[in-house]
Amino acid sequence: MLAACGDNASNNNGGASSGAASAPAASGSASAPASGEKIKLSIWHNFSGDDLRAQAVRAQIDKFKAAHPEIELDAQAIPPDGYRQRLKTVAAAGEMPDVFFTQSGTSIQEFYDGGLIQPITPLLDKYPEWKNNFMEGALDRLSFDGQVYATPLSGSATSLFFYNKSLFDKYQVKVPTTWDELMTAVKMFNDNKITPISLGNKAAWLAQSSILSSLADRVTGTDWFLKAASQDGASFTDPEFVQALQLFKDLSEAKAFQTGANSLDNTQMEQYFVEGKAAMMIDGSWALTNMAATGTPEQLDQVEVTVLPSVPGGKGDPNSISGGSGGGMALSKTVTGAKLDAALELIYTVGGPEGMQAIVNSNSVVNYKVEPDQAVVTPLFYKAFTLFKSVKLTPVYDAYLTSAAADAINNGLQDLLLSGKPETVAKKLQDTQAQALGK
């Protein structure tokens, strides 16, 4: 396995300079080679579903294809659950697609450290209005050594707290703003045979990204996590992190989640909630477009959105959501010449201003200053996007942890939903992160 897909990637924006490719020349419009042969260009992404965001991204790719008959475009839409592993496999073989979607943070860091990608900074410089319209910090986790390697196709809000107001009204339950109120709500809904919180953790990342990242920040504060992630002044075996794991365990033991949560996937979780079978759901902004595609207007009218309740004595900001920049289209280091021109134009078609407008109109949060069309988006999305712009964003764990450590905490949370112990999970995470960073 190439270093790009190993677990020793550092998470600072400086990165290993030996892995960086030189910046390409600023691109003009795509043009065919002098021989008249078609340019062959490949793009991989994980927007394979029927949700509105996936349709919007694929539509932009189709627009590029229709506008450029001189380019033979091989576009592969790969289901999300197996997408990252497939990228690792081709990276290990040195056979990367020309353009490919990658998540921000650790994922793109690994490709950068392995010398597999090249910057798209010249493309941003060519379109300054596009470049300057991204929200503050939107490009940080997609940049290394002063160069930008992708622009976010979406904003990442991973811990939106959804609740069904009709169920809260029917059973006279207070919408929780504190942890004690949340535990009271869990008991009251269980007493009335309603699942308190819908959870589908089959793919393992969901509990970490949507629940623990925000919950742990409530307890430890952001500074502690960044120190622990870099193994510089904090450890995942510290009492405050064990406390955060115990709070998650407390939810499980209070039967907050439906039986078999580790066997349900993200889509089943969202459908279960939107159908009114659960009173609450802690999920990411992707749920907005998914629910918009599957829920009826009557069902969506019952859904409200806020932030996770506060934790007593916690060091973190309670008015916050775990999130940041979503992933974007990266460019293989091997792409040059006319193919490079075509690849940069494809990236701009997908992630430029037109693409951003299409994505936000698909009920998807973006890190871009654009106003959604209220005649097109759902009222729920508009409320969530307004919330997203008004709160502090805190780190998502797997955007800062090494891949091995992310796997350790993902698997550990699955264990906590069964019979696992917080201290055991904390030690496994600490040992894995320290080993991966060589500390």
Side-chain angles (χ1 to χ4, degrees):
M1 188 70 72
L2 295 182
C5 296
D7 297 319
N8 60 345
S10 63
N11 289 307
N12 58 64
N13 284 350
S17 59
S18 61
S22 59
S27 170
S29 59
S31 58
S35 63
E37 296 179 0
K38 279 193 172 185
I39 298 171
K40 294 183 178 180
L41 186 66
S42 61
I43 179 172
W44 284 18
H45 60 85
N46 63 359
F47 299 98
S48 60
D50 293 328
D51 63 275
L52 299 178
R53 184 180 66 166
Q55 293 179 36
V57 172
R58 293 199 304 268
Q60 292 301 115
I61 295 172
D62 289 343
K63 284 183 180 180
F64 175 86
K65 187 173 184 178
H68 294 285
E70 77 281 4
I71 297 173
E72 184 178 322
L73 186 64
D74 176 17
Q76 295 196 34
I78 300 166
D81 284 352
Y83 180 73
R84 187 172 179 180
Q85 185 56 48
R86 188 165 172 187
L87 272 183
K88 287 187 175 185
T89 301
V90 295
E95 299 174 350
M96 300 297 292
D98 301 321
V99 176
F100 62 96
F101 177 80
T102 179
Q103 293 292 348
S104 62
T106 299
S107 293
I108 194 169
Q109 174 91 44
E110 291 173 343
F111 294 117
Y112 170 77
D113 285 347
L116 297 176
I117 54 178
Q118 59 179 300
I120 63 164
T121 310
L123 181 65
L124 284 157
D125 292 340
K126 181 182 177 183
Y127 299 105
E129 290 186 5
W130 173 49
K131 176 182 179 180
N132 296 331
N133 218 34
F134 285 98
M135 294 179 182
E136 182 179 357
L139 303 179
D140 290 353
R141 297 293 290 161
L142 295 163
S143 301
F144 308 97
D145 199 24
Q147 298 284 339
V148 180
Y149 285 77
T151 60
L153 293 184
S154 63
S156 173
T158 70
S159 60
L160 295 170
F161 187 90
F162 297 98
Y163 63 94
N164 186 312
K165 62 183 179 183
S166 64
L167 290 177
F168 274 82
D169 290 344
K170 179 178 180 179
Y171 297 106
Q172 298 182 339
V173 180
K174 183 182 185 299
V175 176
T177 59
T178 68
W179 195 258
D180 287 344
E181 290 173 353
L182 175 61
M183 297 303 288
T184 297
V186 167
K187 182 180 185 306
M188 293 181 72
F189 282 117
N190 272 325
D191 289 347
N192 287 284
K193 311 300 182 185
I194 300 292
T195 298
I197 304 174
S198 185
L199 176 62
N201 198 43
K202 182 178 181 179
W205 59 265
L206 195 285
Q208 166 266 127
S209 179
S210 294
I211 301 179
L212 185 73
S213 290
S214 190
L215 171 57
D217 191 86
R218 294 280 195 278
V219 178
T220 69
T222 300
D223 289 345
W224 177 92
F225 170 69
L226 295 176
K227 290 177 181 178
S230 62
Q231 293 291 286
D232 183 14
S235 167
F236 286 108
T237 54
D238 289 346
E240 52 263 63
F241 183 67
V242 176
Q243 178 192 353
L245 292 176
Q246 184 61 56
L247 290 174
F248 179 81
K249 181 71 174 178
D250 290 346
L251 282 175
S252 178
E253 291 182 339
K255 301 187 184 306
F257 313 117
Q258 65 267 58
T259 302
N262 282 336
S263 301
L264 299 176
D265 63 27
N266 197 188
T267 301
Q268 290 171 311
M269 170 184 103
E270 291 161 355
Q271 187 173 3
Y272 191 86
F273 169 73
V274 82
E275 289 176 351
K277 297 176 181 177
M280 296 168 278
M281 179 176 71
I282 307 166
D283 201 2
S285 51
W286 53 83
L288 297 165
T289 185
N290 293 344
M291 289 191 289
T294 60
T296 66
E298 292 75 20
Q299 289 172 333
L300 296 178
D301 283 346
Q302 305 309 310
V303 180
E304 293 289 344
V305 60
T306 184
V307 298
L308 197 70
S310 64
V311 172
K315 299 175 183 177
D317 186 344
N319 189 38
S320 64
I321 292 172
S322 53
S325 296
M329 296 297 178
L331 180 61
S332 171
K333 180 182 178 180
T334 62
V335 179
T336 60
K339 181 181 282 192
L340 175 58
D341 291 341
L344 288 171
E345 188 167 339
L346 172 58
I347 290 172
Y348 183 71
T349 300
V350 175
E354 182 182 313
M356 289 290 95
Q357 186 69 61
I359 291 171
V360 80
N361 284 347
S362 74
N363 294 279
S364 297
V365 169
V366 294
N367 286 101
Y368 192 77
K369 298 172 186 175
V370 62
E371 194 66 18
D373 184 348
Q374 291 192 61
V376 175
V377 300
T378 65
L380 174 60
F381 171 77
Y382 194 79
K383 285 184 283 190
F385 191 44
T386 301
L387 177 69
F388 174 76
K389 293 186 290 185
S390 70
V391 300
K392 177 183 176 182
L393 295 181
T394 60
V396 183
Y397 267 46
D398 60 10
Y400 288 80
L401 296 174
T402 61
S403 293
D407 288 342
I409 188 59
N410 289 350
N411 295 334
L413 292 176
Q414 283 195 326
D415 289 342
L416 288 183
L417 289 170
L418 301 172
S419 58
K421 297 181 178 180
E423 295 82 3
T424 303
V425 174
K427 187 176 187 306
K428 177 65 174 177
L429 174 58
Q430 170 59 28
D431 291 346
T432 305
Q433 183 73 352
Q435 181 180 3
L437 295 180
K439 296 188 176 182

